[in-house]
Amino acid sequence: MATNMTEEVAQDYPRLIDLGGAEVEVRVMGADDRLPVLKFARSLPEQDLLFLRIDITDAGIVDGWVANIKDGATLSIVAYAAEELVGYATVERNPLRWTRRVGEIRVNVAPSFRARGLGRSLTAQIFDIARAMGLKKLVAHMTADQAGAQAAFKRLGFVPEALLADHVEDRDGEAHDLVIMSYDVEGHSGQMDDPLRI
Ligand SMILES: CC(C)(COP(=O)(O)OP(=O)(O)OC[C@H]1O[C@@H](n2cnc3c(N)ncnc32)[C@H](O)[C@@H]1OP(=O)(O)O)[C@@H](O)C(=O)NCCC(=O)NCCS
């Protein structure tokens, strides 16, 4: 059933977005995106990876991600500009029955494509997918010092819900606080009616 959901969502893709001159194609992620995702992840600054619960610079972890997509536990979209992966958004259903209503989303846009509306568009599309999956609440993790990401997520309707002190450690051994922001899907339904609006 879950796999049918991926197929259902895939019918709406690919989609083209015009980012003020640069054309971006958004596709449903599959096995073919494995190498572009790895290349993208390895090009990101470390602070953009610290919020992730999984290390997406690791080929085995990306294989696991692709396997979760095949199983239907995760649905992801990837954005390409001139065949270069420039961003992704993903939603993962919590596997426990009693927290099945909650999905975790991750959005990441290449630094050179930020502040042009791509993050908003990818997030809006992943909201629609999360709704189609029947999710009621979305959570997103980010480090407390990522002021830009927090500001962007506030603009997208998320509210800070928890602060976990000294929760993640960077390569230099420095600890960072982790912020969990959340979004009530039902309470905000209709807020983002047009996922391609930029
Ligand atoms: C968070 C992130 C996805 C935003 O992507 P983006 O393409 O730059 O976002 P957009 O250009 O669509 O901006 C979305 C909104 O946030 C605002 N915004 C974006 N960057 C901002 C910043 N640095 N400071 C303040 N506001 C910001 C925009 O003005 C926009 O609001 P508006 O449409 O109401 O004007 C991107 O910064 C990123 O990949 N960060 C690293 C990964 C990360 O921390 N992800 C969050 C955890 S899931």
Side-chain angles (χ1 to χ4, degrees):
M1 178 201 156
T3 309
N4 288 344
M5 174 61 72
T6 313
E7 284 163 12
E8 208 177 298
V9 168
Q11 286 173 7
D12 295 333
Y13 289 86
R15 292 178 172 191
L16 288 179
I17 304 174
D18 182 7
L19 286 183
E23 195 164 80
V24 169
E25 186 175 293
V26 183
R27 308 171 188 161
V28 171
M29 181 172 157
D32 291 350
D33 301 298
R34 181 184 173 274
L35 283 177
V37 163
L38 268 175
K39 188 176 167 211
F40 171 76
R42 289 173 182 171
S43 74
L44 289 172
E46 194 197 5
Q47 71 261 27
D48 285 3
L49 297 166
L50 281 178
F51 72 93
L52 298 174
R53 278 190 303 98
I54 56 170
D55 179 3
I56 60 164
T57 63
D58 181 320
I61 298 289
V62 175
D63 286 342
W65 180 358
V66 170
N68 284 343
I69 290 172
K70 277 204 186 113
D71 290 350
T74 298
L75 262 155
S76 309
I77 50 176
V78 279
Y80 284 87
E83 288 312 311
E84 192 78 25
L85 196 145
V86 294
Y88 71 81
T90 185
V91 58
E92 188 178 330
R93 183 195 291 283
N94 193 300
L96 293 173
R97 187 184 56 78
W98 47 90
T99 42
R100 281 181 64 78
R101 64 192 334 268
V102 181
E104 182 180 335
I105 73 157
R106 303 193 303 267
V107 187
N108 220 322
V109 168
S112 58
F113 271 77
R114 287 188 193 158
R116 292 159 75 174
L118 183 56
R120 171 176 281 280
S121 179
L122 290 177
T123 309
Q125 292 177 63
I126 214 72
F127 282 174
D128 280 352
I129 291 170
R131 268 194 209 110
M133 288 167 81
L135 293 169
K136 308 286 190 296
K137 176 181 177 177
L138 299 178
V139 294
H141 295 186
M142 61 207 77
T143 54
D145 35 14
Q146 273 173 303
Q150 282 175 69
F153 270 74
K154 271 190 192 147
R155 297 286 297 151
L156 295 167
F158 278 74
V159 291
E161 191 164 312
L163 177 76
L164 308 182
D166 291 343
H167 205 72
V168 289
E169 190 171 290
D170 63 24
R171 287 194 185 107
D172 302 324
E174 197 186 327
H176 299 260
D177 297 346
L178 190 78
V179 176
I180 301 179
M181 297 185 77
S182 68
Y183 183 96
D184 173 0
V185 176
E186 288 190 322
H188 291 78
S189 64
Q191 178 176 320
M192 287 196 156
D193 285 336
D194 180 1
L196 297 182
R197 183 184 79 80
I198 290 177

